[in-house]
Amino acid sequence: MARKRSSSSTIPPFVGEGTILDTDVVQEIESSYLDYSYSVIYSRALPDARDGLKPVHRRILYSMADSGLRPDRPYVKSARVVGDVMGKYHPHGDGAIYDAMVRLAQPFAMRVPLIDGHGNWGSPDDSAAASRYTECRLTPAALLLTDGLDEETVDLEPNYDGSLQQPSVLPAAMPNLLVNGASGIAVGMATNMIPHNLVEVVDAARHLLAHPSADLDELMRFVPGPDLPTGGQLLGMTEVRAAYETGRGVVRIRATAEIGPLPRGKSSITITELPFGVGAERVIAKVKELVTSKKLQGIADVKDLTDRQLGTHLVFELKAGFSGQAVLAELFRLTPLEESFGINNVALVDGQPRTLGLVSLLEVFLAHRVDVVTRRSRFRLRKAEERAHLVEGLLLALANIDDVVRIIRGSRDIGEARASLIALLGLSDLQAGHVLDMQLRRLVALEVAKLETELAELRETITYLTSLLTDEGLLRAVIGEELAEVAAEHGTPRRTVLVGGDLRALVTSRAASLEVVDEPCDVVLSSSGLLARTPLHADPADGAGRRRTGRSRHDAVVAGVRTTTRGRIGLLTSAGRVLRVGVLDLPTVPAVTTGALSLRGGAPATEFAALERGERVLGLTSLRDGGPGLVLATASGVIKRVAPEWPAKGDAVEVLALRAGDEVVGAAELVDGEDELVLFASTGDLLRFPASAVRPQGRAAAGMAGMRLMPGAVVVGFSVVDLRAPEGVLDVVDEPVVVTAGGLPPEGRTRGPGTASSVKVTPLSEYPRKGRATGGVRCHRLLSGEALLVLGWAGRAPAWAATTSGDPVDLPATHGRRDGSGAPVIGPRPAAVGRPHR
């Protein structure tokens, strides 16, 4: 037991065996605790900012590299590696060493795994098998960290008992700390670093290498955010930037989910990517707990279908009547499907723990690479100079081979021969010894030529390495090229989707969305491409049953579909695709009982779906399986009817295989399969036939002949007409009508002298039904100056028209003659025709 000493006591200059020292208890505890803290911080818990490794990881990789466990060698038992590491370099328990090995081999923990494991190496829910059951070897990426150890690139230090040497840091040709992250708990501090994409980090490092004064915003153009091994979505980019600037921050990681339909009105939620560090069993256990306690409703069953082929595949089957979006929002709120990650970038720099931002982390790594490449170049230069010195001696000896042979034969011993060679040829002691060791085969002319070629190459190498060591710009260029090779060979695409915005705002908006009731609504598409949703009840300001009139309306509604607020609808495009869109994301416009709907509050479809160049949205679909399905018509007269079973994955689905140069000109959802299909040709012809004449085809089919066209003609309009008696009509006669417009082709839309444009409204009953794949009948006689029919539409009256900008166009009164010329148009002609929304 330590005893408290008086302040006047002193420690004797020599302490022998059996001597008792009086030590202050407080001082002893402080000293011992500081020693322990430093040992934990420096030797166990925190990674080095240069190679991104803790001592145990560094010793594992060094031991495996020293044992030759390269990617092209056979696997060896993990227990053997653990034993070597424990016996030679790391005097701690085998369990701790094996646990560290396991993390280096797990692809869900490491963005770029460093150990290639064979056997059961665990999952996010389960631990790995014992070391006696698993096998391992290094991955190609691990060689990036260890290559160059034999070229004096880093300092060596004694191992724990002084019997061996071990590297104090690895050469690390890869920015391992940023790529793979790290976690550890020390005394009084901790580290928790998030993984990133190798290609993005290398691009940022190369930019900083070329522009040392680059700021954080410049580097974030290359590293927009973390990239986790398990993918998912990362929320809170403002927090990411704060972490990159200060080294600390909090982000939220959300699972990737897809909502799909099931039979009998049910739906399912499929989880394909989980948050970093979260396992499926943990999610299932939490969901079962919440369902049992009735804190989570709507889930009928949960299945874990994860396997090697599907990857993560966790399916939640919902009860009938529950919205998938609403249940998914609750899952994010209550379960580990959305988790927080606290970024705390603490690492060792010059042996001291520091909190580092993105710029500092890259600077430390690049400074290490500069030092490694410099030391490697010095080593190679020395080796090249030593070899060139020996080759020069050999060539000099071969040029005077007769004298060399005479000296060797006339000398009494090697020492006399060495001295004579030095005196006669001016060789150094090292060269003379090498000449004496020369084999007789070196006397042939071919060997002389090889030595001369080797000497020339060595001199080029010496010149290059000398310039590399004296030119900092060249040195940095070499480092940049090596980093580019690393990214090209080992880089992979980004897995994590970054969701921009403030984290608090994202969480608040998500909570607010839960307050939206999943009620029926309509989604409408306007002639100018605006999308909006509108509730089914009337706007009180409009007055029940009162029809809004006048020119206050904006746009013509060219398509509409009935759905729910939390549902999804599909956009039918001119490329023959269906693009899925969430209804909740669409802007809301007020509802009216009857009459026109103002879409000035709508938004372009391009804000909700990724359209390709030249692709347009033509119609809408409810995405329901079964039923009569969809029908599409192309400019070349092809018609296709498809009743797809929508796949569970993917936001874009191809429903028509278009021929080269063709495009869809009209697409709509059938009502009951007994609808009428009406096609309009640019020659002024109309073809009308029942939808039942078109047999349904699969999504991959190219369709069938719909309308026979004259040479040079194209289909300019397509409509689906429901002939059933309408319900709920107030004061409108809903007789089916046809609206046609003649004019100039699209490239000649500007009206000038001698040009004309006319519009005609005709009852549909004036046009006889004909068979599919025929030419139809005349529907519009073109006026003088009109080149072709530019617009055709068929549907129930009243028909409303709008220009390309959405401004309304007054249509003429109904005309009885189907082949008449129509009424001339004053001002812009209509670009689209639609029905008023009810």
Side-chain angles (χ1 to χ4, degrees):
M1 179 181 294
R3 295 178 294 174
K4 187 174 182 180
R5 64 181 181 182
S6 63
S7 59
S8 61
S9 63
T10 59
I11 299 177
F14 174 76
V15 178
E17 184 178 355
T19 304
I20 298 176
L21 298 179
D22 289 334
T23 305
D24 184 79
V25 174
V26 175
Q27 181 181 352
E28 180 67 23
I29 291 176
E30 290 179 351
S31 176
S32 298
Y33 190 74
L34 286 175
D35 291 341
Y36 166 74
S37 301
Y38 182 78
S39 175
V40 171
I41 291 171
Y42 183 75
S43 302
R44 292 176 62 181
L46 298 184
D48 193 296
R50 294 170 292 178
D51 61 4
L53 298 171
K54 299 178 186 179
V56 62
H57 296 136
R58 187 179 303 115
R59 291 163 183 168
I60 290 171
L61 296 179
Y62 175 67
S63 177
M64 295 180 69
D66 189 53
S67 300
L69 305 181
R70 301 173 63 85
D72 55 350
R73 302 288 180 84
Y75 293 96
V76 301
K77 283 290 185 181
S78 302
R80 171 183 165 185
V81 176
V82 170
D84 287 344
V85 174
M86 182 170 56
K88 294 179 179 180
Y89 308 109
H90 199 68
H92 297 278
D94 58 342
I97 297 173
Y98 184 56
D99 287 345
M101 280 186 60
V102 167
R103 181 183 183 274
L104 297 180
Q106 291 177 331
F108 53 83
M110 301 284 285
R111 189 62 179 83
V112 180
L114 302 178
I115 289 181
D116 180 8
H118 182 66
N120 178 15
W121 286 82
S123 69
D125 293 303
D126 299 320
S127 59
S131 61
R132 61 183 178 274
Y133 298 121
T134 60
E135 297 176 338
C136 64
R137 63 186 177 187
L138 294 176
T139 64
L143 300 183
L144 300 174
L145 302 180
T146 59
D147 281 352
L149 284 171
D150 55 348
E151 294 182 302
E152 300 178 359
T153 53
V154 295
D155 294 331
L156 299 179
E157 59 186 15
N159 67 338
Y160 65 91
D161 62 358
S163 61
L164 296 171
Q165 295 287 307
Q166 63 184 9
S168 59
V169 66
L170 295 185
M174 175 183 76
N176 180 59
L177 187 57
L178 273 168
V179 172
N180 282 321
S183 62
I185 300 175
V187 178
M189 62 184 64
T191 185
N192 201 32
M193 304 185 68
I194 197 165
H196 292 79
N197 185 273
L198 174 61
V199 176
E200 296 175 354
V201 175
V202 165
D203 288 343
R206 295 183 65 199
H207 181 79
L208 186 60
L209 199 64
H211 307 85
S213 60
D215 59 13
L216 177 60
D217 291 327
E218 290 183 57
L219 297 182
M220 285 190 68
R221 291 192 291 111
F222 302 97
V223 185
D227 186 24
L228 304 170
T230 52
Q233 302 178 43
L234 191 141
L235 314 179
M237 295 309 298
T238 54
E239 288 294 326
V240 170
R241 192 190 186 286
Y244 284 167
E245 184 174 8
T246 66
R248 297 178 183 272
V250 178
V251 296
R252 291 188 71 83
I253 306 166
R254 178 182 289 180
T256 300
E258 297 177 357
I259 300 175
L262 291 176
R264 301 176 183 176
K266 297 182 180 180
S267 58
S268 66
I269 299 174
T270 303
I271 307 298
T272 56
E273 294 174 346
L274 290 169
F276 184 49
V278 174
E281 292 183 8
R282 178 181 162 196
V283 174
I284 293 174
K286 184 63 176 178
V287 169
K288 289 182 177 179
E289 176 189 338
L290 293 171
V291 171
T292 302
S293 61
K294 297 186 178 181
K295 295 180 180 179
L296 181 62
Q297 297 181 352
I299 296 181
D301 191 16
V302 55
K303 300 176 183 178
D304 187 3
L305 305 179
T306 302
D307 58 23
R308 294 182 182 272
Q309 285 73 33
L310 288 176
T312 301
H313 206 78
L314 190 60
V315 180
F316 295 93
E317 183 178 327
L318 306 186
K319 298 177 182 178
F322 281 84
S323 165
Q325 291 287 351
V327 175
L328 180 59
E330 288 295 288
L331 287 172
F332 285 147
R333 186 173 67 90
L334 299 173
T335 73
L337 290 179
E338 184 173 309
E339 288 275 89
S340 296
F341 188 99
I343 300 175
N344 188 24
N345 296 337
V346 178
L348 295 175
V349 179
D350 297 328
Q352 301 295 323
R354 284 180 52 192
T355 302
L356 304 171
L358 177 64
V359 178
S360 300
L361 285 168
L362 290 173
E363 288 175 343
V364 172
F365 168 74
L366 291 176
H368 178 56
R369 285 305 297 166
V370 169
D371 180 61
V372 166
V373 175
T374 300
R375 296 178 64 161
R376 183 187 67 190
S377 301
R378 288 173 183 165
F379 175 84
R380 292 177 178 178
L381 177 61
R382 187 177 77 248
K383 290 297 183 181
E385 290 174 341
E386 291 174 355
R387 178 59 185 168
H389 182 64
L390 295 178
V391 173
E392 289 172 350
L394 287 175
L395 288 173
L396 184 59
L398 291 172
N400 300 275
I401 191 62
D402 293 337
D403 293 334
V404 171
V405 172
R406 179 180 53 81
I407 290 173
I408 294 175
R409 294 187 63 183
S411 302
R412 289 172 298 179
D413 55 27
I414 295 177
E416 182 180 342
R418 179 184 286 107
S420 298
L421 288 174
I422 293 174
L424 176 64
L425 302 179
L427 301 176
S428 66
D429 187 71
L430 186 64
Q431 287 175 322
H434 199 61
V435 169
L436 291 174
D437 295 335
M438 181 177 61
Q439 298 173 336
L440 290 177
R441 64 181 177 83
R442 290 296 181 105
L443 299 179
V444 300
L446 185 59
E447 285 294 323
V448 174
K450 287 183 178 179
L451 288 173
E452 290 175 345
T453 301
E454 182 184 0
L455 181 60
E457 293 174 352
L458 286 170
R459 286 173 176 169
E460 289 181 3
T461 301
I462 291 170
T463 302
Y464 169 73
L465 291 173
T466 302
S467 60
L468 188 64
L469 291 171
T470 56
D471 187 347
E472 184 180 355
L474 180 59
L475 180 69
R476 288 179 171 268
V478 169
I479 296 172
E481 292 173 1
E482 292 179 353
L483 287 173
E485 292 175 1
V486 168
E489 184 176 355
H490 301 279
T492 55
R494 166 171 282 277
R495 299 174 186 172
T496 300
V497 177
L498 303 176
V499 181
D502 181 75
L503 178 59
R504 182 175 299 178
L506 288 171
V507 175
T508 303
S509 63
R510 184 197 68 195
S513 69
L514 297 177
E515 300 173 2
V516 179
V517 179
D518 190 19
E519 60 183 5
C521 67
D522 284 343
V523 174
V524 291
L525 171 70
S526 78
S527 60
S528 58
L530 298 181
L531 277 174
R533 62 181 168 95
T534 177
L536 299 185
H537 60 272
D539 186 347
D542 291 330
R546 181 168 53 88
R547 178 181 176 185
R548 183 186 293 172
T549 58
R551 298 179 64 89
S552 61
R553 70 184 188 268
H554 177 77
D555 262 348
V557 176
V558 296
V561 66
R562 181 68 48 85
T563 181
T564 61
T565 349
R566 296 186 175 276
R568 300 185 82 188
I569 55 103
L571 310 182
L572 299 165
T573 75
S574 58
R577 300 194 302 161
V578 173
L579 306 179
R580 286 173 166 151
V581 172
V583 177
L584 193 60
D585 298 328
L586 303 179
T588 305
V589 296
V592 293
T593 301
T594 184
L597 177 72
S598 175
L599 286 183
R600 293 191 183 275
T606 52
E607 292 188 11
F608 313 102
L611 297 176
E612 298 176 352
R613 182 181 296 273
E615 188 177 15
R616 297 169 291 114
V617 177
L618 303 175
L620 304 175
T621 174
S622 61
L623 293 179
R624 65 175 182 269
D625 285 333
L630 313 173
V631 62
L632 304 93
T634 75
S636 63
V638 172
I639 195 81
K640 181 180 179 182
R641 179 179 172 184
V642 56
E645 293 183 0
W646 302 105
K649 294 185 178 181
D651 289 330
V653 180
E654 185 178 6
V655 293
L656 173 60
L658 287 170
R659 297 182 177 90
D662 201 5
E663 71 168 351
V664 177
V665 296
E669 197 170 48
L670 295 174
V671 177
D672 57 3
E674 300 301 324
D675 316 67
E676 292 273 348
L677 307 183
V678 184
L679 290 90
F680 300 85
S682 56
T683 51
D685 297 319
L686 176 152
L687 176 61
R688 173 189 177 191
F689 58 90
S692 57
V694 183
R695 70 177 185 276
Q697 295 178 307
R699 287 190 288 112
M704 59 184 68
M707 184 178 190
R708 188 176 68 246
L709 301 173
M710 297 179 62
V714 294
V715 173
V716 296
F718 169 71
S719 298
V720 176
V721 183
D722 179 15
L723 299 181
R724 296 178 307 172
E727 298 177 359
V729 179
L730 297 178
D731 57 352
V732 180
V733 177
D734 281 27
E735 179 187 7
V737 296
V738 171
V739 180
T740 54
L744 295 175
E747 61 271 16
R749 285 179 177 173
T750 303
R751 298 181 62 187
T755 66
S757 180
S758 60
V759 177
K760 181 167 68 73
V761 180
T762 314
L764 179 63
S765 57
E766 291 290 320
Y767 301 92
R769 295 182 180 89
K770 301 192 69 176
R772 180 182 62 82
T774 60
V777 297
R778 182 183 295 277
C779 65
H780 193 104
R781 187 179 300 276
L782 300 173
L783 297 175
S784 175
E786 292 181 334
L788 42 77
L789 190 73
V790 295
L791 180 145
W793 177 88
R796 288 192 173 274
W800 287 355
T803 64
T804 54
S805 61
D807 295 324
V809 175
D810 290 330
L811 295 176
T814 302
H815 192 288
R817 292 182 55 192
R818 63 177 175 84
D819 60 344
S821 299
V825 174
I826 301 176
R829 69 169 179 239
V833 180
R835 284 265 301 166
H837 178 72
R838 296 184 183 276

